[in-house]
Amino acid sequence: MTFAKITQVAHYAPQQVISNDDLAKIMDTSDEWIASRTGIRRRHISQTETTSELATHVAEELLQRSGTDASELDFIIIATITPDSLMPSTAARVQANIGAVKAFAFDVTAACSGFVFALSAAQKLLEGGSYRKGLVIGAETLSKTLDWSDRRTAVLFGDGAGGVLLEKSKEQHFLAESLHSDGSRGESLSSGVAALDSPFSEKGEDDKFLKMDGRAIFDFAIRDVTQSIIHLLAESGLPAESVDYFLLHQANSRILDKMAKKMGIDRQKFPANMMEYGNTSAASIPILLSECVQNNLIKLDGSQTILLAGFGGGLTWGSLIVKI
Ligand code: ACO
């Protein structure tokens, strides 16, 4: 049997940091409102770097830290809803930047669940037995999709990237998963609407801006996502106590508070960094994972069990339980 294992983690964010007070200078908001409703205090906003450039930093660091040559990579998967272009994909750009000549590369579009979906797909690629090493990276420049005159969304998001090196292993590390989508509720969170446009079609209306029904997404997270995590733990026979940390998508600290309470799990087991990054969609979980390793909370020595859970646009949601 062949299994997959996370062997290295890394993250990167643009240097420019925009505080809530900075935002209050350009829109009708306040540090008090943003911090008390979301937990967010700052976010990184790119001045020049594109999504593929943020992801390239992460890829280079993953290779350097693990002593891996780019030519050893079999695949690169980038989860993003803010690609530099639809074609070439962000993953193909990263492949060229790092010279991963042997790797096939593609993007996954599943919003804030993108990293979890991509990691699950990558695990299956390795467990198929034909591949040995690959990168899975979540990278976003959400700042380019925001309507900076809309205080209901502009204050919530940020730019950044995080990722993992996944390698073939003799032991099982991915213990259980549960992945979901509900396109019928998709309209509560949208961005990048591209209308038909040809001499042979009616001209529709483009809308690049991110739109969100915050209340609906909040309720969805508390109800559907919490329920799916509870089911996954029950089905897999892994009691919540056996999970060392719950690394959830970083949208709002109140969501984490309510989820922890509903699951009856100590809030200390839910690390958070949305105060520094805001919501970075597909990048939020790998940035958090990388910071947890940096802070020695997660040791990366195979001794701990973590649950990764993403939720957001699509709607999409999903969890992985991983020995790390
Ligand atoms: N500053 C000041 N006031 C504001 C701001 C702001 N930035 N934004 C909204 N308000 C005002 C509103 O105008 C409203 O005022 P009104 O009552 O006079 O109309 C009031 O604050 C309350 O607004 P609500 O939208 O009801 O605020 P709510 O308490 O629901 O909080 C929030 C909004 C933070 C967005 C919350 O709903 C939330 O976190 N939702 C979940 C978001 C999420 O999880 N997203 C994840 C997926 S993202 C992805 O996939 C890309």
Side-chain angles (χ1 to χ4, degrees), residues 293-310:
V293 172
Q294 208 170 49
N295 301 337
N296 215 21
L297 215 57
I298 292 175
K299 315 243 181 294
L300 218 57
D301 62 0
S303 69
Q304 291 166 299
T305 302
I306 58 171
L307 185 146
L308 309 176

